Amino acid sequence: MPTPMRICSSAEMRDLDLIADRDYGIEANLLMENAGRAATQVILEKYPNAGRNTEILIFAGKGNNAGDAFVLARRLLCLERRVRVFHLQTEEGYKGATLKNFQILKRMKTKMTFLETSSDLQEFFKSSSGPFTVVDGILGTGLKSNLEGIFYEVVGIINELNLTEVIALDIPTGVSGDTGAILGNSILATLTVSFGFPKLGHFLPPGAARRGELINVDISLPPKFRKEGEKFLLMKHPMSSLLKERDRYGHKNSFGHTLLVGGSPGRIGAIAMAARACHKMGTGLVTVATWKDCFDPLLTQIPNETMAVPLHLEGPDYELYKENLSSYSSIVVGPGLGLRDEGKDLLQEILTLYHGPVVFDADALNLISEYHLHDYLVNRRAPTVLTPHPGEMSRLLGVEIEAVRQDPVKAIREAIALTHATVLLKGAATLISNPDNVLYLNHYPNDGMATAGSGDVLAGMIGGLLGQKMDPFQATQLGVYLHSLAGDFAAKTFGHRSMTAPDIIENIGNAFKDIKSTEAHPPMESRVRLL
């Protein structure tokens, strides 16, 4: 299987730099040189007239981020580009490789200005007409508290310029490298060049919206570092390897039988869409179960090839219902289910009687939270997948929704500890993790998918893959990736404003065809590049 793109926390990246020096002799000065060289290449590819038709203003703050900026300045000067450096720290404040590169610039007679106050920068812009290309090498990924003082003020001044060429080195200043939080204010970049490995903050909102295009560059870290992490980005080629060839001599019973449980008065459409999506995943047989008072309306909405049964929690049909549970290769519970009292009994029956893989979505998650059924999940000996959005996650954990949004990685790991399940936290950046603490991040934001029924479609897709005996963690990853891919095709056809959940379903086939092609799918893969 191809190696996926690793994602690091800020602390992990610092540790890798130290290990590279200690164990391999790859010193900080070499890593800094490689970062500056790669950034120079990327910037001039993206903005070939930078430093010719514009003046490149490089802002250097503290630590290694400033050192990367100094190397970039030197290399641009050597290519005869117009460069001016503003540093927010005195020479005495720099050390090691950063100080060395600062002193090289001094010997080269570079235009360098120490910004004691933000008014010095304001005066410069008043007296200079530009145009400008700005490079942000102010703070990088190490920021832990809100921007203050001159750092806050300089970021504000740069943003007010509304420039079309603003490049952040590693991460826009003011964006947390671990959570994507905006710490007071942040640079609005049009391009971010990240070094070594992308950071979590590149992908998590709201900071992800501040980075512009992201290009990750190699700085000569040992290749084994790519495989040793526990956080990775979902990308096409690792995902395509999960999709196995089907048995051409198989029959419908060879490809699984998935039961989807849901629907309630006025909300039959949710379970019907989940069923249609499940069919599109190649599932051999699909059955939908709903409450008795919804059964007749359900029959008018499901495809002809879908079977349907009413839910029986008591009476003469109950024993047959229990016996039939074992015949399904996977179950999806929750789309449109509602919160009626019988829902608790339904979930308890499935959690205790069914010994195959289950996806709990939507109202099933709310019922688990309301009736504190977490221990039932822990005691299951079969695969369980939970698919909450932030609101459902907050109820599952008993915390405020803002806590989930501020640190989604922490939230998903707490949910796993509480349930022992594979957990998918939905959002513009979807997180997927399991009890082994391996985390995958799906970052292909598509505002057109923020539409009613999109989550129901995803639940049906994952349930269909599980029903075909796919590993639950891999089925969740592949389902999420294909869902995004189908959404991109739908947006291309109908536009982001006009696409609907059924449009996603109709493009699942295109997603399957595309994932097996050798070319990257624009615009998904073009949003993050690895050089």
Side-chain angles (χ1 to χ4, degrees), residues 138-149:
I138 300 175
L139 289 177
T141 60
L143 187 65
K144 290 183 170 54
S145 57
N146 282 356
L147 289 175
E148 294 180 343

Side-chain angles (χ1 to χ4, degrees), residues 408-429:
V409 175
K410 179 182 178 183
I412 197 170
R413 287 186 167 152
E414 288 180 348
I416 291 167
L418 191 63
T419 64
H420 294 190
T422 294
V423 180
L424 181 168
L425 178 55
K426 294 182 285 196

Side-chain angles (χ1 to χ4, degrees), residues 167-183:
I167 303 99
L169 300 182
D170 215 12
I171 200 165
T173 292
V175 174
S176 166
D178 292 333
T179 67
I182 296 172
L183 301 174

